Every structure is written in structure tokens, then in C-alpha cells.
Amino acid sequence: MEQACAVREKTFFNEYTGEHQRMWAALEVGLMVSRQNGKGSILEARELAGLFLLGERTVVHSAHQFDTSKEHFLRMLTLLEGVPDFDREIKAVTRSHGDEGILLKSGQRLRFRTRTKGGGRGWSPDFIALDEAMYLTSEQVGALMPSLSARPNPQLWYTGSAGTKESTQFGRVRHRGTKGVKNAQGIYVPDPRLMYAEWSIDACDELCIPGCDEHDRHDTVESYAKSNPGLGIRITVEHVEAERRSMDPAMFAQERLGVGDWPVEGDQWAVIGEDAWKRRIDETSEITSGSIKVLGIDISPNREFAAIGVCGENGDCLHVEITSNEIQMDHRPGADWLAGRVMEIWDRVRPDAVVVDKAGQAGSVIDELVSHGINVICPTTAEYGQACGSFTSGVQPRKGEVADIVHIDQLGLNEAVAGADKRALGEKWAWDKRTSASDITPLVAVTLAAWGYRKVLFEKPKAATPWAFWGDDE
């Protein structure tokens, strides 16, 4: 409540209070927390404040289902009628189905609505609460959001529990809250007019090894507490344990632990465009025999995946791909297999180097590779930023540049490029493993391999120019 109701220096004149008031810091407020943790109580407090403290003319509470909206109406009416000072301010109560509302003697109104596609057109509320936001549609927000523009200091709240792939609108709010918005340079920065709060766990999944200590388990009190601020107050550990035994594991994770299956709409092809990537497909391409070959390797932050990429010349361009054997691609779950596979390729093919970002998880295998006699190259932070920019330009060149990278249309690499995002890296940028919409270890691996190829190419000793020459002058 303190964060959601924070104010800024800018003021406006409130016609009801007759005073200049400071304006909200947040135009939008998002709250994602599991059921029975007190979302309804927070909305009750905010709506009462709107009527009796803040001088808001029209306050609207909206829910996905009529029963939910009516229940909140009855709770608010009970609160108002139970306090004599509030009760004396009530002028009329409307109980008509779908048109519930409370009118105060001041002319202020509290309205309750079930959401429809066009609902909200013609209103000019100061505050809107969109409860059950995981069921909110883009059309409904499109009808409501412009109605706030006529008010001097409006605020819109989204409250709900963990979403699904269909929770596109709440997913967008969460995306802005957890990731930010892109600035002119394409880098994510915090949304200055959104306050977002979420209680959830970083859950283990089927790829985690037994005893995983990097993620939250589904069956510990610590996980219950992390995702339920009402634990021990409104919710008991005993009841949560009963829910876990009774519910499907995925449903328990969603409903009680805040683990959503959120949509990734808008995250695809955010850095390298789909058309540009597809134009660089050459399924017949292969690395020229005897030319420079460089491997790049990467491990995801949670060690769920690892990948090996290779770069070499195909006669005209740089060829990049994910390596493979007769059985599988070298983009696999886990990371324990990586060092052994790199050694196997090194002994068989003898590439010129293996590139590793020592600042990432793959840095853990450097010593093992070096002890095997492998030439390991580690880019500096600045060089890694250059590698990411150079790879992107090689696929999607700017004006005056020439595309010089091709690939063979491998699914894992395609998905990595499609879901990739970037982060600021000083004056440069780099691939962002944490905010990307998919596992990008294949993309990082070939990016490092392409950088390593150029480094080896330009630093490889060339034939010395003789200091003297004698023979036939002709």
C-alpha cells in the first residue's frame, strides 16, 4: 500500500477537497499473489481511502465474474454500514443485478462491474480496480484505459494470482514489472509509472537434479512462506500441506506457489528479426576442410542447459552451427556432459581454439579443458559486447555493412535467436540470459565461436617477409 500510494512532487487541484494534492507516482499498480493472501482486503482499504481520504469522484471495482464482483460489493457495504461515520455519508445503495453501487451524499460513487468487451466506455473514474486480472483481455483494457485520461490524477490497479498462456494482459503488466520497458537503445529500463509486486517461487522442474539447491522446492515451508505473505496469519502450513497432497502438482504450483505459465507475446525476434535470420539460411553450407575452426561453449545460469557451437569459413561467409554427433545435438539438458564432449571433438577434429566466457557458468570447465591441452580463449567484458554486436551485424547488417554469417536452419539455434533479449554492458550490450524468452545457450555458443574465429584469423602468424632476396633480376 505504501509503494502503490507513493506520490511525486507534481500537484493537481482536487475539486472535492478544495486542495492541491500531490499526484500518484504510479499510474498503474500490479499485484500478483496466490489466493487467500489478502488482495481483497487491500482493495477494500484502497477504495475506502478513495472515497473518504482522497476525494476521488468515481471509484470502480471490476471482476471477471458477477459472483466475485457482488461478493466484494457486499463486503464493502458491510464495512460502510458498520461504521456510523461512514454510514451517515451514504445517500443511496443500488442492488440491481449487474448495476450494484454506492452513492455518497458528496456525489462520489463506488461502482461494481463485471467486465465486458465494451464495459467502461463513457465512464471517467479516478480509480479502477481490475480484480482477477489473470482473466483480463486486451479488449477490456482497451475500453477502460482511455476513460482515465479525462481525470487529473487517475490510478489503475491489476490484482490476481498466477496466470496462464491466455493471461496476455496481466502478462504484459508482469513483463513490464519484472523486466521493464525498452529505451531508445533497445535496453530494458524500469517502467517509471508502474508499481509491481509479486510473491512467487523460482520452482524446480523436471530437469533439476535430485537435491537441487538453486531452485525452490514445492514441498517446503520456506517455499510456502516465500509465495504466501499471509502464511501464519490467514493461511496455515497444515492447510497448505493438505492442498499439496490433494491437488495436481502443476495446479498446486500455480494456485499456491505463484508459478505461472505466462505468455511470452512480444518477446519473439526482439533483437534479430525473423526475416533477417531466415535470409541467412544455407542448408548446404559446411565448413571448408582445412580452414580455421573455432568452438564456443555456454551453460545457462541455472545449469539447466549447455551448448557447443562452431564457426568456420565456407568459402564465402562464416558458417555457424550447433555441433552434433550421430545421436544428438550438442544442445542438451544439464552441463555435466559438456567438458567430455568438447574433449572428444578436440581430439578428433583439432579445432584452433575453444572460446569460453569465464564470467558465466561455463567458466567452471576451463581448468578441465586446459589440463587436456585445449587452447581456451576467454573474451574480456568489452570483447564479449563486441562479439554480440558483431554477430548481430553479421546476420542483420545496418546500412553500409555486409551480412557475412550463414547457418543451416537448426531448430535449437532458431529458437534461441527468436527468444533472445539483450542487456546493457557499459557502452555496449550483450545477450541477456535471464530475461530472454527461451534458452539462448546455442546463440551464445555460436556468438563466441564467431568472435573466436575472427580473433584466431587475425592473430594467426603469417608467413614472414624475407629480409633479403637474390636471383634473376627479371
Side-chain angles (χ1 to χ4, degrees):
M1 286 294 289
E2 290 177 356
Q3 295 295 321
C5 295
V7 293
R8 47 185 174 156
E9 292 298 326
K10 188 175 181 181
T11 63
F12 76 104
F13 181 75
N14 188 314
E15 60 192 40
Y16 280 98
T17 64
E19 299 175 345
H20 284 87
Q21 296 175 206
R22 293 171 65 180
M23 300 180 71
W24 300 123
L27 169 63
E28 297 173 278
V29 173
L31 171 62
M32 200 295 287
V33 66
S34 298
R35 295 163 60 186
Q36 302 303 319
N37 275 283
K39 290 191 298 293
S41 297
I42 292 175
L43 290 175
E44 290 166 5
R46 175 61 182 84
E47 291 162 7
L48 286 171
L51 296 175
F52 295 104
L53 294 178
L54 305 173
E56 292 177 331
R57 185 176 69 180
T58 302
V59 174
V60 176
H61 181 96
S62 168
H64 175 62
Q65 295 181 331
F66 169 76
D67 287 347
T68 308
S69 179
K70 184 176 180 180
E71 177 62 25
H72 191 78
F73 161 68
L74 294 175
R75 288 170 61 176
M76 289 296 292
L77 185 60
T78 299
L79 287 171
L80 292 169
E81 292 179 338
V83 178
D85 288 343
F86 290 165
D87 189 36
R88 281 192 292 269
E89 297 300 319
I90 297 176
K91 180 178 181 179
V93 176
T94 302
R95 301 174 184 270
S96 302
H97 180 86
D99 190 32
E100 289 82 2
I102 300 169
L103 175 64
L104 301 185
K105 294 175 182 177
S106 64
Q108 295 168 274
R109 293 176 295 171
L110 175 58
R111 305 181 66 177
F112 300 86
R113 290 291 182 270
T114 304
R115 289 192 289 271
T116 60
K117 184 175 181 179
R121 295 185 183 275
W123 300 354
S124 294
D126 294 288
F127 174 80
I128 299 177
L130 299 175
D131 199 11
E132 300 179 317
M134 57 281 194
Y135 304 119
L136 191 63
T137 68
S138 300
E139 291 81 6
Q140 290 164 350
V141 173
L144 286 167
M145 195 74 176
S147 68
L148 297 172
S149 61
R151 303 303 298 153
N153 189 39
Q155 196 171 59
L156 176 65
W157 281 38
Y158 308 86
T159 62
S161 51
T164 66
K165 290 297 186 188
E166 287 70 45
S167 303
T168 54
Q169 185 61 39
F170 201 23
R172 291 190 186 105
V173 175
R174 182 180 186 270
H175 183 277
R176 286 188 286 130
T178 59
K179 192 172 182 178
V181 293
K182 286 188 176 181
N183 61 15
Q185 290 72 44
I187 305 299
Y188 279 102
V189 296
D191 186 331
R193 297 302 311 279
L194 171 68
M195 179 270 171
Y196 182 78
E198 174 176 320
W199 284 262
S200 61
I201 67 167
D202 183 13
C204 279
D205 59 27
E206 65 275 6
L207 295 175
C208 289
I209 61 174
C212 170
D213 59 1
E214 295 188 7
H215 301 91
D216 300 314
R217 290 173 52 185
H218 290 195
D219 58 352
T220 66
V221 174
E222 290 77 13
S223 291
Y224 304 159
K226 185 176 182 180
S227 51
N228 293 274
L231 190 73
I233 304 169
R234 303 170 59 94
I235 305 168
T236 66
V237 172
E238 181 181 19
H239 187 82
V240 175
E241 291 281 6
E243 289 178 335
R244 182 176 60 81
R245 291 190 297 268
S246 301
M247 298 170 68
D248 173 86
M251 186 59 65
F252 175 74
Q254 177 179 334
E255 294 292 342
R256 180 53 64 204
L257 303 178
V259 181
D261 183 19
W262 297 99
V264 293
E265 180 183 356
D267 288 344
Q268 298 295 297
W269 307 104
V271 182
I272 295 176
E274 183 176 8
D275 291 341
W277 181 248
K278 288 183 176 179
R279 281 196 296 269
R280 305 310 299 163
I281 295 173
D282 182 354
E283 296 183 16
T284 65
S285 176
E286 58 183 21
I287 297 175
T288 303
S289 178
S291 66
I292 295 172
K293 293 180 287 292
V294 175
L295 300 180
I297 65 173
D298 189 49
I299 299 174
S300 62
N302 50 20
R303 302 183 71 86
E304 286 185 346
F305 291 97
I308 305 173
V310 63
C311 179
E313 185 183 350
N314 70 354
D316 299 311
C317 296
L318 296 187
H319 168 110
V320 297
E321 66 174 274
I322 302 303
T323 59
S324 63
N325 57 26
E326 297 78 9
I327 301 174
Q328 62 187 143
M329 301 289 298
D330 290 328
H331 172 218
R332 315 178 200 169
D336 293 342
W337 59 272
L338 182 65
R341 175 61 176 152
V342 173
M343 294 176 192
E344 177 189 336
I345 296 174
W346 181 269
D347 293 340
R348 179 170 52 85
V349 181
R350 286 294 172 183
D352 292 84
V354 176
V355 183
V356 185
D357 177 13
K358 64 181 179 181
Q361 287 284 355
S364 62
V365 304
I366 291 176
D367 291 344
E368 188 174 359
L369 299 182
V370 171
S371 67
H372 191 74
I374 293 175
N375 177 27
V376 174
I377 301 175
C378 298
T380 64
T381 299
E383 287 173 330
Y384 182 50
Q386 293 166 357
C388 296
S390 177
F391 183 88
T392 302
S393 297
V395 175
Q396 185 172 270
R398 295 183 293 263
K399 186 176 181 179
E401 298 177 333
V402 177
D404 64 352
I405 291 177
V406 297
H407 62 98
I408 56 175
D409 199 24
Q410 295 170 304
L411 178 61
L413 184 54
N414 293 344
E415 291 179 343
V417 175
D421 196 8
K422 61 184 181 180
R423 58 185 169 86
L425 192 67
E427 295 182 354
K428 303 177 179 65
W429 61 267
W431 302 123
D432 195 331
K433 299 177 185 178
R434 296 192 179 278
T435 62
S436 293
S438 60
D439 170 53
I440 63 168
T441 53
L443 173 59
V444 175
V446 296
T447 297
L448 293 172
W451 174 85
Y453 173 88
R454 292 186 174 95
K455 185 175 181 66
V456 171
L457 175 66
F458 293 117
E459 293 184 358
K460 195 168 186 178
K462 298 178 175 59
T465 302
W467 64 273
F469 177 82
W470 59 96
D472 191 334
D473 289 342
E474 298 180 0

